[in-house]
Amino acid sequence: MKQTDHKLLKKIKTGDRPAFMKLYERYWDDLYRFVFVKTRDKELAEELLQNLWIKVLENTESIQTDENESAKGYFLKHLHFRVIDYFNSQKKELSTISIDESETSIDITDTEYFEILEEHEISALFSMIDEVVSNLPITEQKVYDMRIRQNKSVDETAEALGLSNKTVSNKLSKAIGEIREQLNPEYQSSKKFVSVMVLMDILLRH
């Protein structure tokens, strides 16, 4: 059964990393598209979304859900006002911006934008990361699985695997480094990949 945004947010507040990644994957494309339609600026869209996801992590209780326990409306309104703030700060003329949720499915004629969405689909990135992890030494795989996928603490992981806390931290750092090294050459121009890795680093600190 699909978990509602409200349930995911409650889990995120307790430090549940898999819940965060599930919410992130659920809304990335729609929210990115929403901001891009309004700004036609890929870098700005990436920046505003990254700030929103940091807010979800660091100030989870501020994220509101509707009667259907969906946070989509809140996310759209938040981004709507951040776009306005941006244009005001740049002293640019701002055209009327709608926050109709149906706009997230608008057909866009920007071919390059759709190529980016197709090539760097977030789920595909996660699959590639999983493939890299599957080829790591077995201990690093176990550490990655417990810390990132199962949301286990350093202490819990160290105890379960019979390792020291320092070794757990080192093994995880090596795993993340290997992911960066193997994926970055192919995705070096992908802002989405950079965002995934930045958010992964944020998760490691929570």
Side-chain angles (χ1 to χ4, degrees), residues 81-97:
F81 287 116
R82 297 296 75 77
V83 170
I84 290 176
D85 288 344
Y86 169 77
F87 279 107
N88 285 340
S89 69
Q90 299 296 312
K91 297 183 178 179
K92 295 179 180 179
E93 182 178 355
L94 177 64
S95 58
T96 302
I97 296 180

Side-chain angles (χ1 to χ4, degrees), residues 79-118:
L79 292 170
H80 161 72
F81 287 116
R82 297 296 75 77
V83 170
I84 290 176
D85 288 344
Y86 169 77
F87 279 107
N88 285 340
S89 69
Q90 299 296 312
K91 297 183 178 179
K92 295 179 180 179
E93 182 178 355
L94 177 64
S95 58
T96 302
I97 296 180
S98 167
I99 54 175
D100 183 350
E101 293 186 23
S102 64
E103 291 193 8
T104 60
S105 60
I106 288 178
D107 289 333
I108 304 171
T109 57
D110 191 315
T111 303
E112 181 184 10
Y113 169 65
F114 274 120
E115 288 175 349
I116 288 175
L117 276 186
E118 181 177 359

Side-chain angles (χ1 to χ4, degrees), residues 111-179:
T111 303
E112 181 184 10
Y113 169 65
F114 274 120
E115 288 175 349
I116 288 175
L117 276 186
E118 181 177 359
E119 181 181 0
H120 303 301
E121 184 71 31
I122 193 68
S123 59
L125 272 176
F126 288 148
S127 294
M128 291 185 72
I129 289 173
D130 287 342
E131 183 176 353
V132 173
V133 172
S134 70
N135 292 314
L136 294 174
I138 190 63
T139 301
E140 289 178 18
Q141 287 187 46
K142 290 180 178 179
V143 168
Y144 182 91
D145 183 66
M146 293 190 71
R147 291 285 285 119
I148 300 299
R149 295 172 179 149
Q150 298 182 41
N151 191 36
K152 300 295 185 182
S153 68
V154 173
D155 288 341
E156 291 173 326
T157 303
E159 182 178 356
L161 299 180
L163 303 172
S164 68
N165 285 12
K166 183 177 181 179
T167 299
V168 167
S169 297
N170 288 342
K171 292 293 184 183
L172 186 57
S173 293
K174 287 182 179 180
I176 299 301
E178 192 67 20
I179 291 171

Side-chain angles (χ1 to χ4, degrees), residues 25-70:
E25 184 175 358
R26 179 177 293 175
Y27 286 119
W28 172 274
D29 283 340
D30 279 353
L31 297 180
Y32 183 87
R33 185 178 305 180
F34 175 79
V35 177
F36 183 82
V37 167
K38 306 306 179 186
T39 65
R40 295 290 171 171
D41 187 322
K42 297 178 180 67
E43 291 190 2
L44 176 60
E46 294 282 350
E47 180 181 350
L48 293 182
L49 259 70
Q50 184 166 300
N51 290 338
L52 171 62
W53 292 116
I54 291 174
K55 178 182 177 69
V56 170
L57 276 171
E58 299 183 345
N59 195 15
T60 313
E61 63 275 6
S62 68
I63 310 301
Q64 302 171 13
T65 56
D66 59 21
E67 64 275 8
N68 295 317
E69 298 192 347
S70 170

